[in-house]
Amino acid sequence: MKEILKVENVSIKYITGDFKSIGLKEYIIRRLKGNYTVKEFWANRNITFNLEEGDMLGIIGTNGAGKSTLLKAVSGIMRPSEGTIVRYGTIAALLELGSGFDGDLTVKENAYLRGAMLGYTRKFMDETYEEIIDFAELKEFEDRPFKQLSSGMKSRLAFSIASLVRPDILILDEVLSVGDGAFRKKSEAKMKEIINGGATTILVSHSLNQVRSMCSKILWLHKGRQITFGSDVKKICDDYQSFLDGKLKI
């Protein structure tokens, strides 16, 4: 199988300070007096894994494990502080579902806006718009201001737009947990269709059942550290559940 993503010893560091809260003038004064300090926080440390064409990777871990930060680096939004990420092919990422939309524009206008942000042409959007809006189940809302939609409806639109591009790598951060049960089933069916078409997919999910049923590989993160990575999805999910139940120490 063809390798499509290679992550080697990736570490990501945040530098935090109080510049935003104190303002420019106070920042300059504190710097001159030597009273301004910054803190370093490593969101990820030495993460290593590789994916081949058609793989579906499930990333698990409790809140604060560094899952979303890692996805931003893989998608190209952030640069690793250390290590390397090599990608082959096109990437579509659904990370922050509420971002990239304008609340005052209509649902239809926002569909075109999000499409443009993902690099879709106007011609492509004209040809696929009806399919997008029908899949999102928002036909009757297309002329309403986007801000009137519920968070679930916004997520459905974002998912529908991204899933129609046929990317080489599709990145999903808790996307399949939105909406009602019927839409979740439809989303999972769409994911399986994309995977069967050869796409490599990365899914962050708190649903172990979802990971067990859909993923061929799994990455377990805890407080920024890589606990394990492998293809024995069932065993790693079972170990993670034992950890959540307090039966396994890491």
Side-chain angles (χ1 to χ4, degrees):
M1 294 292 287
K2 176 185 173 185
E3 187 175 69
I4 199 161
L5 177 68
K6 190 173 186 178
V7 176
E8 283 194 336
N9 295 316
V10 165
S11 297
I12 302 168
K13 176 175 63 177
Y14 286 109
I15 298 177
T16 59
D18 56 356
F19 171 73
K20 288 184 179 179
S21 61
I22 63 176
L24 179 60
K25 181 179 177 181
E26 184 64 21
Y27 164 74
I28 294 173
I29 293 172
R30 291 192 189 184
R31 281 297 298 267
L32 291 172
K33 291 182 177 180
N35 292 333
Y36 182 75
T37 59
V38 295
K39 296 179 180 179
E40 293 184 352
F41 170 70
W42 289 92
N44 295 113
R45 289 294 276 172
N46 302 319
I47 309 300
T48 297
F49 66 91
N50 67 291
L51 298 177
E52 298 175 336
E53 237 175 12
D55 279 340
M56 183 158 190
L57 173 69
I59 302 181
I60 59 174
T62 55
N63 291 335
K67 303 184 297 294
S68 294
T69 299
L70 179 62
L71 292 189
K72 289 177 182 178
V74 169
S75 66
I77 295 173
M78 298 178 67
R79 282 187 176 181
S81 305
E82 298 174 0
T84 59
I85 298 175
V86 181
R87 316 167 192 84
Y88 303 94
T90 58
I91 295 180
L94 279 177
L95 303 180
E96 297 171 355
L97 292 176
S99 64
F101 291 116
D102 186 321
D104 293 323
L105 296 180
T106 66
V107 171
K108 183 174 184 177
E109 289 168 336
N110 269 288
Y112 276 82
L113 175 63
R114 174 58 73 94
M117 291 177 67
L118 291 174
Y120 302 174
T121 64
R122 177 68 185 234
K123 181 175 182 290
F124 176 83
M125 289 303 297
D126 286 342
E127 292 171 349
T128 59
Y129 172 74
E130 290 300 325
E131 186 179 354
I132 289 169
I133 207 73
D134 288 341
F135 186 89
E137 301 170 7
L138 294 174
K139 182 66 177 176
E140 62 186 288
F141 300 93
E142 63 180 344
D143 295 321
R144 291 195 187 183
F146 190 76
K147 60 188 176 185
Q148 293 182 4
L149 299 186
S150 67
S151 59
M153 294 163 79
K154 294 174 182 176
S155 298
R156 282 178 0 219
L157 180 63
F159 177 87
S160 181
I161 295 168
S163 65
L164 289 175
V165 69
R166 301 294 185 224
D168 296 301
I169 303 173
L170 181 63
I171 301 176
L172 305 169
D173 189 356
E174 286 295 343
V175 176
L176 302 187
S177 63
V178 301
D180 57 24
F183 190 79
R184 279 199 295 273
K185 288 182 180 178
K186 189 163 74 167
S187 299
E188 290 182 6
K190 174 62 73 173
M191 286 301 91
K192 289 176 181 177
E193 178 187 321
I194 291 174
I195 296 163
N196 291 336
T200 300
T201 308
I202 301 176
L203 170 69
V204 167
S205 177
H206 285 291
S207 170
L208 287 182
N209 287 336
Q210 200 171 66
V211 173
R212 281 191 179 100
S213 66
M214 297 184 67
C215 297
S216 58
K217 292 183 178 178
I218 187 168
L219 174 66
W220 176 5
L221 301 179
H222 182 69
K223 295 183 178 179
R225 295 183 298 114
Q226 179 172 327
I227 303 303
T228 190
F229 164 72
S231 57
D232 194 342
V233 175
K234 182 182 183 303
K235 181 183 184 304
I236 295 174
C237 281
D238 289 345
D239 288 345
Y240 179 63
Q241 186 61 61
S242 294
F243 165 72
L244 294 178
D245 294 339
K247 299 174 183 177
L248 177 68
K249 302 295 182 182
I250 58 173

